[in-house]
Amino acid sequence: MTTMAADAGAYEAVFDAALAADERIEPRDWMPDEYRASLVRQMAQHAHSEIIGMQPEANWITRAPSLRRKAILMAKVQDEAGHGLYLYSAAETLGTSRDELLDKLHSGRQKYSSIFNYPTLTWADVGAIGWLVDGAAITNQVPLCRCSYGPYARAMVRICKEESFHQRQGYELLLALSRGTEAQHAMAQDAVDRWWWPSLMMFGPPDDASAHSARSMAWKIKRHSNDELRQRFVDICVPQAESLGLTLPDPELRWSEERGHYDFGPIDWDEFREVLRGNGPCNAQRITQRRRAHEEGAWVREAAAAYAAKHGEAQA
Amino acid sequence: MTAALALGDDALVLSHRLGEWAGHAPVLEEEVALANIALDLLGQARVLLSLAGDEDELAYLREERAFRNVQLVEQPNGDFAQTIARQLYFSTYQELLYERLARGTGPFAPLAAKAVKEVAYHRDHAEHWTLRLGDGTDESHERMRRGLDALWRFTGELFEPVEGCEVEWHTLHDAWLTRITSVLERATLAVPEGPRRGGWAAGAGRQGIHTEPFGRMLAEMQHLHRSHPGATW
């Protein structure tokens, strides 16, 4: 064994011991290359999801039907930009710059959550996104507050607080529609019908088909399996849908005494794969808008850099 | 309340225009900053419109001719430089106006005292970008110059007295021009020349005379609310 290999072995032992003791790994700590790469991949995908996720909701800012709702929606979209900022910063602690990650998003080499490839067709979709999509995101993300990588875990604590606020606002928006006029109730039901199944897909493929799951769990980046989290989400949503006075579009949904959970029908994984592959209703539109905003903003970023260079100012 | 409508509509309309940037800003920090300014303005608009009546009825059920905002705030975003030029002109004006209203004893003093702190940040944000763009690259300098020029003709209206606002409009104007001149000089930009208002005797925004893009903006803003008469949201 060479000295270097022996050193690496010693570092790895320290890393493994930290994981075993549920301690946080910090940016300056030694970590396996694959651990680093896996974290960057996950944090980047999360950051990209936040900024792409602004689009379907921003679609309704200019049409929000009351000033109160408009303020809530603007604040929510702003929070998402803020989450993108924290997450790109957290990824920078692993030595990967925001520019590099954005470049990978724009060129299709990194992904964002497929849920944002669905369109927001009515105002009620804003509520359905809050209730279901943010609800699913929280179910996924709360365990990340205990993720083994310190900067990611800390960013998630703040993000989860804001997300749970968004989820309540979405629920409240749908409740107002459900209890409103007949047309408003129908709008709410239609939105829930369209967003339910895509929300269940947000937890990713079934455990036996998930590419990164086992390793991420061993590294304590991930704490629960996709199927466990999906079941948890369904169990939370069913009684909430009843309180909303809305139905969920699954005839097989029923309480199982035996399992102590709700049973639900099969998920259309063909649709999931198609949307993931780029064939969803909005994949092209989302990435085109993102690229355009970036390209059209190039002269602004160049100006800020030139000014900073001339005046020794810290860059914006 | 003429003044509540005038000031409230200014804030409402500019907030809406800034909201159009969501998802399109040149850098993530500006997504946050522009939304922040839009939210502050929307908060001000809600307080002001509530002084004049029901905020949603006023925002969603008035026709174009009943809006009392200055034409400056309804101008389309254009590029980022034009948005910054609009913000520089308006926030500088709004800060000076609100400082004066805050010192007074009128009905707007409490709102103005709170809002002036927000507006100071908006003005600071616009000044910093004016400096960066004016003194950045050749392209940004040219774009900033064009933005400032294009909106110059809407700046005269800002200083038309608003009934119910007890301020000295002449000194407000002079303070505005001094401040703008100083920022533009530092940004290596010239103060635009040319008329500060249109030649049409009918007047402008404060008289309910708006520019063509405003009707489309309202159509988009009001359509959902108007499609469900009497509904609550």
Side-chain angles (χ1 to χ4, degrees), chain B residues 47-84:
Chain B
V47 174
L48 286 159
L49 292 180
S50 297
L51 291 173
D54 178 88
E55 61 175 33
D56 285 337
E57 273 179 35
L58 289 168
Y60 291 100
L61 298 176
R62 271 182 300 161
E63 299 291 321
E64 179 176 340
R65 292 278 282 107
F67 278 80
R68 288 291 176 265
N69 55 283
V70 290
Q71 291 181 349
L72 174 67
V73 294
E74 75 204 30
Q75 295 312 304
N77 289 334
D79 64 6
F80 186 70
Q82 183 152 325
T83 289
I84 291 298

mmCIF file of all heavy atoms in Angstrom, chain B residues 47-84:
data_model
loop_
_atom_site.group_PDB
_atom_site.id
_atom_site.type_symbol
_atom_site.label_atom_id
_atom_site.label_comp_id
_atom_site.label_asym_id
_atom_site.label_seq_id
_atom_site.Cartn_x
_atom_site.Cartn_y
_atom_site.Cartn_z
ATOM 1 N N VAL B 47 -52.681 50.060 1.249
ATOM 2 C CA VAL B 47 -53.030 51.013 2.303
ATOM 3 C C VAL B 47 -53.697 52.246 1.686
ATOM 4 O O VAL B 47 -54.751 52.703 2.143
ATOM 5 C CB VAL B 47 -51.773 51.439 3.103
ATOM 6 C CG1 VAL B 47 -52.108 52.537 4.092
ATOM 7 C CG2 VAL B 47 -51.163 50.231 3.811
ATOM 8 N N LEU B 48 -53.104 52.764 0.627
ATOM 9 C CA LEU B 48 -53.610 54.003 0.025
ATOM 10 C C LEU B 48 -54.992 53.797 -0.592
ATOM 11 O O LEU B 48 -55.901 54.604 -0.389
ATOM 12 C CB LEU B 48 -52.620 54.508 -1.030
ATOM 13 C CG LEU B 48 -51.343 55.124 -0.444
ATOM 14 C CD1 LEU B 48 -50.214 55.136 -1.473
ATOM 15 C CD2 LEU B 48 -51.632 56.553 0.039
ATOM 16 N N LEU B 49 -55.159 52.718 -1.344
ATOM 17 C CA LEU B 49 -56.459 52.490 -1.988
ATOM 18 C C LEU B 49 -57.534 52.241 -0.932
ATOM 19 O O LEU B 49 -58.693 52.635 -1.115
ATOM 20 C CB LEU B 49 -56.380 51.314 -2.969
ATOM 21 C CG LEU B 49 -55.513 51.552 -4.216
ATOM 22 C CD1 LEU B 49 -55.505 50.326 -5.123
ATOM 23 C CD2 LEU B 49 -55.985 52.776 -5.009
ATOM 24 N N SER B 50 -57.156 51.617 0.175
ATOM 25 C CA SER B 50 -58.140 51.385 1.231
ATOM 26 C C SER B 50 -58.598 52.694 1.873
ATOM 27 O O SER B 50 -59.690 52.755 2.444
ATOM 28 C CB SER B 50 -57.575 50.454 2.304
ATOM 29 O OG SER B 50 -57.311 49.196 1.727
ATOM 30 N N LEU B 51 -57.765 53.734 1.779
ATOM 31 C CA LEU B 51 -58.204 55.052 2.257
ATOM 32 C C LEU B 51 -59.288 55.627 1.345
ATOM 33 O O LEU B 51 -60.095 56.449 1.751
ATOM 34 C CB LEU B 51 -57.022 56.037 2.305
ATOM 35 C CG LEU B 51 -55.935 55.787 3.353
ATOM 36 C CD1 LEU B 51 -54.761 56.743 3.142
ATOM 37 C CD2 LEU B 51 -56.504 55.943 4.764
ATOM 38 N N ALA B 52 -59.267 55.164 0.080
ATOM 39 C CA ALA B 52 -60.203 55.716 -0.903
ATOM 40 C C ALA B 52 -61.422 54.827 -1.114
ATOM 41 O O ALA B 52 -62.389 55.235 -1.749
ATOM 42 C CB ALA B 52 -59.483 55.927 -2.235
ATOM 43 N N GLY B 53 -61.397 53.598 -0.622
ATOM 44 C CA GLY B 53 -62.522 52.690 -0.841
ATOM 45 C C GLY B 53 -62.093 51.246 -0.659
ATOM 46 O O GLY B 53 -61.192 50.967 0.126
ATOM 47 N N ASP B 54 -62.730 50.328 -1.400
ATOM 48 C CA ASP B 54 -62.359 48.913 -1.324
ATOM 49 C C ASP B 54 -61.208 48.658 -2.283
ATOM 50 O O ASP B 54 -61.313 48.947 -3.484
ATOM 51 C CB ASP B 54 -63.569 48.049 -1.683
ATOM 52 C CG ASP B 54 -63.207 46.565 -1.670
ATOM 53 O OD1 ASP B 54 -63.299 45.960 -0.601
ATOM 54 O OD2 ASP B 54 -62.804 46.038 -2.739
ATOM 55 N N GLU B 55 -60.115 48.117 -1.765
ATOM 56 C CA GLU B 55 -58.900 48.005 -2.582
ATOM 57 C C GLU B 55 -59.134 47.188 -3.854
ATOM 58 O O GLU B 55 -58.643 47.542 -4.930
ATOM 59 C CB GLU B 55 -57.731 47.422 -1.772
ATOM 60 C CG GLU B 55 -57.993 46.014 -1.231
ATOM 61 C CD GLU B 55 -56.783 45.398 -0.531
ATOM 62 O OE1 GLU B 55 -56.006 46.137 0.090
ATOM 63 O OE2 GLU B 55 -56.634 44.165 -0.607
ATOM 64 N N ASP B 56 -59.870 46.088 -3.739
ATOM 65 C CA ASP B 56 -60.051 45.232 -4.915
ATOM 66 C C ASP B 56 -61.022 45.851 -5.923
ATOM 67 O O ASP B 56 -60.811 45.757 -7.128
ATOM 68 C CB ASP B 56 -60.504 43.831 -4.505
ATOM 69 C CG ASP B 56 -59.344 43.018 -3.915
ATOM 70 O OD1 ASP B 56 -58.183 43.352 -4.225
ATOM 71 O OD2 ASP B 56 -59.604 42.073 -3.158
ATOM 72 N N GLU B 57 -62.071 46.478 -5.411
ATOM 73 C CA GLU B 57 -62.975 47.156 -6.356
ATOM 74 C C GLU B 57 -62.213 48.217 -7.131
ATOM 75 O O GLU B 57 -62.390 48.375 -8.341
ATOM 76 C CB GLU B 57 -64.133 47.823 -5.609
ATOM 77 C CG GLU B 57 -65.296 46.891 -5.367
ATOM 78 C CD GLU B 57 -66.417 47.579 -4.614
ATOM 79 O OE1 GLU B 57 -66.640 48.792 -4.833
ATOM 80 O OE2 GLU B 57 -67.050 46.879 -3.782
ATOM 81 N N LEU B 58 -61.382 48.964 -6.416
ATOM 82 C CA LEU B 58 -60.648 50.038 -7.082
ATOM 83 C C LEU B 58 -59.624 49.484 -8.072
ATOM 84 O O LEU B 58 -59.452 50.005 -9.165
ATOM 85 C CB LEU B 58 -59.966 50.934 -6.045
ATOM 86 C CG LEU B 58 -60.939 51.813 -5.252
ATOM 87 C CD1 LEU B 58 -60.240 52.443 -4.048
ATOM 88 C CD2 LEU B 58 -61.526 52.905 -6.161
ATOM 89 N N ALA B 59 -58.950 48.414 -7.696
ATOM 90 C CA ALA B 59 -57.904 47.886 -8.581
ATOM 91 C C ALA B 59 -58.499 47.155 -9.773
ATOM 92 O O ALA B 59 -57.990 47.260 -10.894
ATOM 93 C CB ALA B 59 -56.995 46.941 -7.794
ATOM 94 N N TYR B 60 -59.572 46.421 -9.539
ATOM 95 C CA TYR B 60 -60.024 45.478 -10.565
ATOM 96 C C TYR B 60 -61.249 45.938 -11.345
ATOM 97 O O TYR B 60 -61.543 45.401 -12.402
ATOM 98 C CB TYR B 60 -60.322 44.118 -9.924
ATOM 99 C CG TYR B 60 -59.065 43.425 -9.446
ATOM 100 C CD1 TYR B 60 -58.685 43.454 -8.111
ATOM 101 C CD2 TYR B 60 -58.236 42.777 -10.359
ATOM 102 C CE1 TYR B 60 -57.516 42.837 -7.684
ATOM 103 C CE2 TYR B 60 -57.064 42.154 -9.946
ATOM 104 C CZ TYR B 60 -56.713 42.190 -8.605
ATOM 105 O OH TYR B 60 -55.551 41.586 -8.199
ATOM 106 N N LEU B 61 -61.986 46.909 -10.820
ATOM 107 C CA LEU B 61 -63.249 47.234 -11.490
ATOM 108 C C LEU B 61 -63.297 48.644 -12.061
ATOM 109 O O LEU B 61 -64.298 49.041 -12.637
ATOM 110 C CB LEU B 61 -64.428 47.005 -10.525
ATOM 111 C CG LEU B 61 -64.559 45.539 -10.053
ATOM 112 C CD1 LEU B 61 -65.680 45.392 -9.024
ATOM 113 C CD2 LEU B 61 -64.804 44.590 -11.227
ATOM 114 N N ARG B 62 -62.210 49.390 -11.921
ATOM 115 C CA ARG B 62 -62.210 50.703 -12.581
ATOM 116 C C ARG B 62 -61.752 50.548 -14.026
ATOM 117 O O ARG B 62 -60.947 49.685 -14.356
ATOM 118 C CB ARG B 62 -61.262 51.671 -11.866
ATOM 119 C CG ARG B 62 -61.913 52.459 -10.742
ATOM 120 C CD ARG B 62 -60.920 53.426 -10.120
ATOM 121 N NE ARG B 62 -59.771 52.714 -9.575
ATOM 122 C CZ ARG B 62 -58.599 53.282 -9.294
ATOM 123 N NH1 ARG B 62 -58.402 54.583 -9.543
ATOM 124 N NH2 ARG B 62 -57.616 52.574 -8.786
ATOM 125 N N GLU B 63 -62.274 51.430 -14.862
ATOM 126 C CA GLU B 63 -61.829 51.473 -16.255
ATOM 127 C C GLU B 63 -60.551 52.310 -16.330
ATOM 128 O O GLU B 63 -60.237 53.093 -15.432
ATOM 129 C CB GLU B 63 -62.914 52.114 -17.130
ATOM 130 C CG GLU B 63 -64.234 51.356 -17.142
ATOM 131 C CD GLU B 63 -64.143 50.012 -17.857
ATOM 132 O OE1 GLU B 63 -63.440 49.952 -18.901
ATOM 133 O OE2 GLU B 63 -64.747 49.038 -17.388
ATOM 134 N N GLU B 64 -59.888 52.149 -17.443
ATOM 135 C CA GLU B 64 -58.615 52.845 -17.663
ATOM 136 C C GLU B 64 -58.670 54.345 -17.347
ATOM 137 O O GLU B 64 -57.780 54.892 -16.698
ATOM 138 C CB GLU B 64 -58.205 52.627 -19.123
ATOM 139 C CG GLU B 64 -56.925 53.313 -19.504
ATOM 140 C CD GLU B 64 -56.511 52.993 -20.940
ATOM 141 O OE1 GLU B 64 -56.975 51.977 -21.495
ATOM 142 O OE2 GLU B 64 -55.722 53.763 -21.492
ATOM 143 N N ARG B 65 -59.749 54.994 -17.801
ATOM 144 C CA ARG B 65 -59.816 56.450 -17.638
ATOM 145 C C ARG B 65 -59.962 56.886 -16.178
ATOM 146 O O ARG B 65 -59.802 58.051 -15.846
ATOM 147 C CB ARG B 65 -60.979 57.011 -18.475
ATOM 148 C CG ARG B 65 -60.769 56.913 -19.978
ATOM 149 C CD ARG B 65 -59.902 58.038 -20.542
ATOM 150 N NE ARG B 65 -60.642 59.289 -20.695
ATOM 151 C CZ ARG B 65 -60.490 60.354 -19.921
ATOM 152 N NH1 ARG B 65 -59.646 60.329 -18.910
ATOM 153 N NH2 ARG B 65 -61.190 61.452 -20.142
ATOM 154 N N ALA B 66 -60.303 55.951 -15.300
ATOM 155 C CA ALA B 66 -60.490 56.308 -13.893
ATOM 156 C C ALA B 66 -59.206 56.152 -13.071
ATOM 157 O O ALA B 66 -59.181 56.503 -11.896
ATOM 158 C CB ALA B 66 -61.614 55.467 -13.284
ATOM 159 N N PHE B 67 -58.165 55.617 -13.683
ATOM 160 C CA PHE B 67 -56.888 55.489 -12.957
ATOM 161 C C PHE B 67 -56.160 56.827 -12.951
ATOM 162 O O PHE B 67 -56.159 57.544 -13.950
ATOM 163 C CB PHE B 67 -56.017 54.393 -13.591
ATOM 164 C CG PHE B 67 -56.397 53.008 -13.111
ATOM 165 C CD1 PHE B 67 -57.494 52.341 -13.646
ATOM 166 C CD2 PHE B 67 -55.673 52.394 -12.095
ATOM 167 C CE1 PHE B 67 -57.860 51.080 -13.187
ATOM 168 C CE2 PHE B 67 -56.036 51.133 -11.626
ATOM 169 C CZ PHE B 67 -57.132 50.476 -12.175
ATOM 170 N N ARG B 68 -55.512 57.132 -11.830
ATOM 171 C CA ARG B 68 -54.907 58.460 -11.642
ATOM 172 C C ARG B 68 -53.374 58.415 -11.538
ATOM 173 O O ARG B 68 -52.743 59.374 -11.121
ATOM 174 C CB ARG B 68 -55.485 59.116 -10.373
ATOM 175 C CG ARG B 68 -56.940 59.562 -10.542
ATOM 176 C CD ARG B 68 -57.048 60.732 -11.508
ATOM 177 N NE ARG B 68 -58.421 61.155 -11.788
ATOM 178 C CZ ARG B 68 -59.142 60.729 -12.841
ATOM 179 N NH1 ARG B 68 -58.606 59.866 -13.700
ATOM 180 N NH2 ARG B 68 -60.367 61.152 -13.033
ATOM 181 N N ASN B 69 -52.785 57.273 -11.866
ATOM 182 C CA ASN B 69 -51.318 57.168 -11.800
ATOM 183 C C ASN B 69 -50.653 57.999 -12.889
ATOM 184 O O ASN B 69 -51.240 58.218 -13.955
ATOM 185 C CB ASN B 69 -50.884 55.705 -11.951
ATOM 186 C CG ASN B 69 -51.437 55.065 -13.213
ATOM 187 O OD1 ASN B 69 -52.617 54.724 -13.239
ATOM 188 N ND2 ASN B 69 -50.616 54.943 -14.237
ATOM 189 N N VAL B 70 -49.430 58.415 -12.620
ATOM 190 C CA VAL B 70 -48.642 59.098 -13.645
ATOM 191 C C VAL B 70 -48.316 58.099 -14.767
ATOM 192 O O VAL B 70 -48.220 56.889 -14.537
ATOM 193 C CB VAL B 70 -47.328 59.691 -13.092
ATOM 194 C CG1 VAL B 70 -47.609 60.877 -12.169
ATOM 195 C CG2 VAL B 70 -46.488 58.643 -12.388
ATOM 196 N N GLN B 71 -48.133 58.627 -15.945
ATOM 197 C CA GLN B 71 -47.845 57.760 -17.095
ATOM 198 C C GLN B 71 -46.495 57.050 -16.960
ATOM 199 O O GLN B 71 -46.303 55.971 -17.502
ATOM 200 C CB GLN B 71 -47.872 58.585 -18.388
ATOM 201 C CG GLN B 71 -49.272 59.062 -18.764
ATOM 202 C CD GLN B 71 -49.286 59.858 -20.064
ATOM 203 O OE1 GLN B 71 -48.229 60.238 -20.582
ATOM 204 N NE2 GLN B 71 -50.475 60.120 -20.578
ATOM 205 N N LEU B 72 -45.587 57.652 -16.225
ATOM 206 C CA LEU B 72 -44.257 57.042 -16.095
ATOM 207 C C LEU B 72 -44.351 55.590 -15.616
ATOM 208 O O LEU B 72 -43.708 54.697 -16.156
ATOM 209 C CB LEU B 72 -43.399 57.861 -15.102
ATOM 210 C CG LEU B 72 -42.028 57.251 -14.769
ATOM 211 C CD1 LEU B 72 -41.103 57.253 -15.992
ATOM 212 C CD2 LEU B 72 -41.361 58.011 -13.602
ATOM 213 N N VAL B 73 -45.169 55.358 -14.577
ATOM 214 C CA VAL B 73 -45.161 54.038 -13.941
ATOM 215 C C VAL B 73 -45.809 52.966 -14.813
ATOM 216 O O VAL B 73 -45.578 51.780 -14.603
ATOM 217 C CB VAL B 73 -45.837 54.053 -12.545
ATOM 218 C CG1 VAL B 73 -45.037 54.893 -11.584
ATOM 219 C CG2 VAL B 73 -47.287 54.529 -12.622
ATOM 220 N N GLU B 74 -46.642 53.363 -15.761
ATOM 221 C CA GLU B 74 -47.312 52.360 -16.595
ATOM 222 C C GLU B 74 -46.466 51.980 -17.818
ATOM 223 O O GLU B 74 -46.830 51.069 -18.568
ATOM 224 C CB GLU B 74 -48.678 52.885 -17.063
ATOM 225 C CG GLU B 74 -48.615 53.935 -18.182
ATOM 226 C CD GLU B 74 -49.837 54.837 -18.248
ATOM 227 O OE1 GLU B 74 -50.457 55.094 -17.189
ATOM 228 O OE2 GLU B 74 -50.184 55.290 -19.354
ATOM 229 N N GLN B 75 -45.342 52.653 -18.023
ATOM 230 C CA GLN B 75 -44.535 52.362 -19.209
ATOM 231 C C GLN B 75 -44.000 50.925 -19.143
ATOM 232 O O GLN B 75 -43.568 50.456 -18.098
ATOM 233 C CB GLN B 75 -43.372 53.353 -19.332
ATOM 234 C CG GLN B 75 -43.828 54.791 -19.575
ATOM 235 C CD GLN B 75 -44.868 54.887 -20.687
ATOM 236 O OE1 GLN B 75 -44.629 54.438 -21.803
ATOM 237 N NE2 GLN B 75 -46.034 55.449 -20.379
ATOM 238 N N PRO B 76 -44.060 50.226 -20.288
ATOM 239 C CA PRO B 76 -43.592 48.835 -20.298
ATOM 240 C C PRO B 76 -42.142 48.720 -19.827
ATOM 241 O O PRO B 76 -41.366 49.677 -19.915
ATOM 242 C CB PRO B 76 -43.730 48.434 -21.770
ATOM 243 C CG PRO B 76 -44.776 49.352 -22.325
ATOM 244 C CD PRO B 76 -44.597 50.648 -21.587
ATOM 245 N N ASN B 77 -41.789 47.528 -19.346
ATOM 246 C CA ASN B 77 -40.466 47.326 -18.739
ATOM 247 C C ASN B 77 -39.301 47.611 -19.676
ATOM 248 O O ASN B 77 -38.254 48.048 -19.229
ATOM 249 C CB ASN B 77 -40.349 45.892 -18.233
ATOM 250 C CG ASN B 77 -41.222 45.659 -17.013
ATOM 251 O OD1 ASN B 77 -41.525 46.598 -16.272
ATOM 252 N ND2 ASN B 77 -41.639 44.429 -16.806
ATOM 253 N N GLY B 78 -39.469 47.326 -20.968
ATOM 254 C CA GLY B 78 -38.328 47.456 -21.876
ATOM 255 C C GLY B 78 -37.216 46.518 -21.433
ATOM 256 O O GLY B 78 -37.477 45.454 -20.867
ATOM 257 N N ASP B 79 -35.966 46.916 -21.658
ATOM 258 C CA ASP B 79 -34.867 46.087 -21.160
ATOM 259 C C ASP B 79 -34.582 46.479 -19.706
ATOM 260 O O ASP B 79 -35.229 47.364 -19.146
ATOM 261 C CB ASP B 79 -33.628 46.187 -22.061
ATOM 262 C CG ASP B 79 -33.033 47.592 -22.096
ATOM 263 O OD1 ASP B 79 -33.504 48.472 -21.337
ATOM 264 O OD2 ASP B 79 -32.092 47.826 -22.882
ATOM 265 N N PHE B 80 -33.606 45.804 -19.110
ATOM 266 C CA PHE B 80 -33.322 46.056 -17.695
ATOM 267 C C PHE B 80 -32.936 47.516 -17.466
ATOM 268 O O PHE B 80 -33.296 48.114 -16.446
ATOM 269 C CB PHE B 80 -32.206 45.105 -17.240
ATOM 270 C CG PHE B 80 -31.912 45.160 -15.770
ATOM 271 C CD1 PHE B 80 -32.821 44.659 -14.842
ATOM 272 C CD2 PHE B 80 -30.717 45.703 -15.301
ATOM 273 C CE1 PHE B 80 -32.546 44.701 -13.480
ATOM 274 C CE2 PHE B 80 -30.440 45.754 -13.941
ATOM 275 C CZ PHE B 80 -31.354 45.251 -13.026
ATOM 276 N N ALA B 81 -32.257 48.120 -18.433
ATOM 277 C CA ALA B 81 -31.833 49.521 -18.282
ATOM 278 C C ALA B 81 -33.043 50.443 -18.225
ATOM 279 O O ALA B 81 -33.090 51.388 -17.428
ATOM 280 C CB ALA B 81 -30.915 49.914 -19.440
ATOM 281 N N GLN B 82 -34.035 50.151 -19.059
ATOM 282 C CA GLN B 82 -35.227 51.009 -19.069
ATOM 283 C C GLN B 82 -36.000 50.845 -17.758
ATOM 284 O O GLN B 82 -36.525 51.821 -17.212
ATOM 285 C CB GLN B 82 -36.116 50.667 -20.267
ATOM 286 C CG GLN B 82 -37.318 51.592 -20.339
ATOM 287 C CD GLN B 82 -37.836 51.770 -21.753
ATOM 288 O OE1 GLN B 82 -37.067 51.799 -22.716
ATOM 289 N NE2 GLN B 82 -39.139 51.883 -21.885
ATOM 290 N N THR B 83 -36.054 49.627 -17.262
ATOM 291 C CA THR B 83 -36.701 49.398 -15.967
ATOM 292 C C THR B 83 -35.982 50.164 -14.870
ATOM 293 O O THR B 83 -36.607 50.770 -13.991
ATOM 294 C CB THR B 83 -36.735 47.883 -15.659
ATOM 295 O OG1 THR B 83 -37.679 47.265 -16.537
ATOM 296 C CG2 THR B 83 -37.131 47.606 -14.219
ATOM 297 N N ILE B 84 -34.662 50.177 -14.917
ATOM 298 C CA ILE B 84 -33.888 50.899 -13.900
ATOM 299 C C ILE B 84 -34.086 52.411 -14.055
ATOM 300 O O ILE B 84 -34.222 53.129 -13.062
ATOM 301 C CB ILE B 84 -32.392 50.516 -13.990
ATOM 302 C CG1 ILE B 84 -32.198 49.057 -13.552
ATOM 303 C CG2 ILE B 84 -31.514 51.455 -13.165
ATOM 304 C CD1 ILE B 84 -32.585 48.747 -12.110
#
